[in-house]
């Protein structure tokens, strides 16, 4: 696949809304291999390691979330610099034209959500962390972090689609009804929020400073499967302290390795 490049319309819509849906970002062969890998995940408990990946659900409502999933097999390694989105994230959060141009993947998660699961609303421009900030200045995007949520299953009504509040990456006020993340308040009926429906293979790209979350999965059966890769500045660090194994770094192409270890350590 030829690596896609953001168009002028993409830039306009990303600036306006804070997100883009990249249709058919990943092809059927990769999707099949990722889904087969998901089928083979062991039944991990919260906090249990599987090699250098760990089940670490964000909260009690999100469902199974395998962190450091790039360590979970070759199919996940292909997502590191996937042509469906790599030029997009470089453009929006790769500090183009600067002395620190580049990217770092600071989190990567394989997520399975079943009936009743959801992810409460969070982020937004108001008092947002610099890490997830949206910035466009002097003709360049300077976002702190952009996320790629790749749908491995169709995610339609009832499937627990991600919800976003378009434009909220620039918001100067708190949402008066945004609920309480710690109380796991649901965002399903939050004013201004819209569900992002996707077909398997579509990818949702958004700046982390956008208000977002996962709506309730209301379907009784089946599961929503997505991967979440967070790309940020080359000088970032992983959020929870996960590290990429030397074995993984050693077997990657130089291009992929640079996305997991942009600045190799220097030692005496
Ligand atoms: O699970 C979802 O749909 C949203 C995930 C999310 O909010 C996040 O990764 O920050």
């Amino acid at each position: 696949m030829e690596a896609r490049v953001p168009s002028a319309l993409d830039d306009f819509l990303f600036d306006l809304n804070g997100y883009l849906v990249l249709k058919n970002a990943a092809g059927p062969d990769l999707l099949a291999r990722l889904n087969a890998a998901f089928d083979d995940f062991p039944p991990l408990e919260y906090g249990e390691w599987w090699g250098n990946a760990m089940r670490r659900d964000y909260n009690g409502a999100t469902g199974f979330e395998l962190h450091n999933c790039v360590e979970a097999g070759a199919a996940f390694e292909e997502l590191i610099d996937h042509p469906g989105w790599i030029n997009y994230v470089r453009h929006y959060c790769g500090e183009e034209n600067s002395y620190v141009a580049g990217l770092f993947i600071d989190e990567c998660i394989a997520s399975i959500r079943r009936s009743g699961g959801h992810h409460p609303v969070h982020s937004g421009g108001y008092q947002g962390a610099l890490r997830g900030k949206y910035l466009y200045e002097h003709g360049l995007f300077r976002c702190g972090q952009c996320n790629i949520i790749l749908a491995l299953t169709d995610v339609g009504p009832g499937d627990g689609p991600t919800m976003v509040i378009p434009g909220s990456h620039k918001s100067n006020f708190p949402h008066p009804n945004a609920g309480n993340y710690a109380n796991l308040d649901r965002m399903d009926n939050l004013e201004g929020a819209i569900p992002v429906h996707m077909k398997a293979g579509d990818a949702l790209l958004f700046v982390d400073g956008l208000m977002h979350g996962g709506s309730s999965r209301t379907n009784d059966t089946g599961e929503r499967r997505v991967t979440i890769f967070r790309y940020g500045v080359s000088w970032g660090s992983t959020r929870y302290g996960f590290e990429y194994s030397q074995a993984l770094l050693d077997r990657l192409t130089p291009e992929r390795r640079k996305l997991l270890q942009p600045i190799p350590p220097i030692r005496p």
Side-chain angles (χ1 to χ4, degrees):
M1 181 195 277
E2 184 104 346
R4 294 187 194 174
V5 284
S7 64
L9 181 61
D10 288 327
D11 286 354
F12 174 80
L13 293 173
F14 179 72
D15 174 70
L16 182 71
N17 294 321
Y19 75 98
L20 295 171
V21 178
L22 307 175
K23 304 291 290 176
N24 298 311
D29 170 65
L30 178 56
L31 287 184
R33 285 182 290 118
L34 287 166
N35 272 308
F38 270 59
D39 291 340
D40 289 343
F41 288 158
L44 301 169
E45 296 294 324
Y46 180 88
E48 195 176 340
W49 286 96
W50 185 45
N52 194 29
M54 182 202 264
R55 178 175 176 181
R56 191 190 189 288
D57 313 347
Y58 277 107
N59 57 58
T62 50
F64 179 102
E65 286 176 321
L66 186 71
H67 280 249
N68 241 18
C69 71
V70 76
E71 299 267 4
F76 295 95
E77 294 171 18
E78 289 179 43
L79 301 178
I80 295 173
D81 60 349
H82 194 278
W85 57 77
I86 189 66
N87 285 331
Y88 281 76
V89 287
R90 270 195 202 292
H91 184 49
Y92 295 132
C93 63
E95 299 215 79
E96 287 178 319
N97 293 5
S98 80
Y99 75 104
V100 285
L103 287 168
F104 173 59
I105 295 175
D106 60 32
E107 277 186 85
C108 51
I109 304 118
S111 164
I112 301 176
R113 191 156 301 152
R114 302 206 171 91
S115 190
H118 76 110
H119 194 136
V121 64
H122 53 285
S123 293
Y126 177 72
Q127 297 186 353
L130 199 54
R131 186 182 189 121
K133 195 169 180 62
Y134 174 81
L135 182 65
Y136 181 81
E137 200 174 57
H138 310 305
L140 292 164
F141 288 95
R142 284 278 185 264
C143 298
Q145 185 184 71
C146 287
N147 303 320
I148 295 285
I149 298 189
L150 174 67
L152 306 187
T153 52
D154 289 349
V155 186
D159 293 330
T162 303
M163 295 186 82
V164 297
I165 300 190
S168 56
H169 56 309
K170 297 179 182 174
S171 120
N172 291 307
F173 295 89
H175 193 304
N177 309 319
N180 184 318
Y181 190 89
N183 287 345
L184 303 181
D185 287 349
R186 294 176 190 257
M187 74 176 301
D188 304 74
N189 299 315
L190 193 63
E191 294 82 351
I194 59 164
V196 182
H197 298 136
M198 294 198 279
K199 292 284 179 201
D202 294 347
L204 168 63
L205 179 159
F206 60 100
V207 61
D208 195 65
L210 187 71
M211 290 185 85
H212 66 279
S215 61
S216 303
R217 183 175 172 91
T218 53
N219 289 346
D220 291 337
T221 56
E223 51 192 31
R224 185 194 85 155
R225 291 179 173 187
V226 302
T227 55
I228 305 172
F229 274 55
R230 304 192 196 283
Y231 294 83
V233 295
S234 64
W235 42 272
S237 63
T238 63
R239 178 166 170 201
Y240 295 115
F242 290 108
E243 291 182 332
Y244 301 115
S245 66
Q246 197 58 48
L248 172 66
L249 295 172
D250 286 347
R251 72 171 172 268
L252 292 176
T253 62
E255 293 76 22
R256 287 184 182 163
R257 181 177 176 154
K258 206 166 164 35
L259 290 159
L260 300 189
Q261 190 186 60
I263 309 167
I266 44 171
R267 300 189 175 108

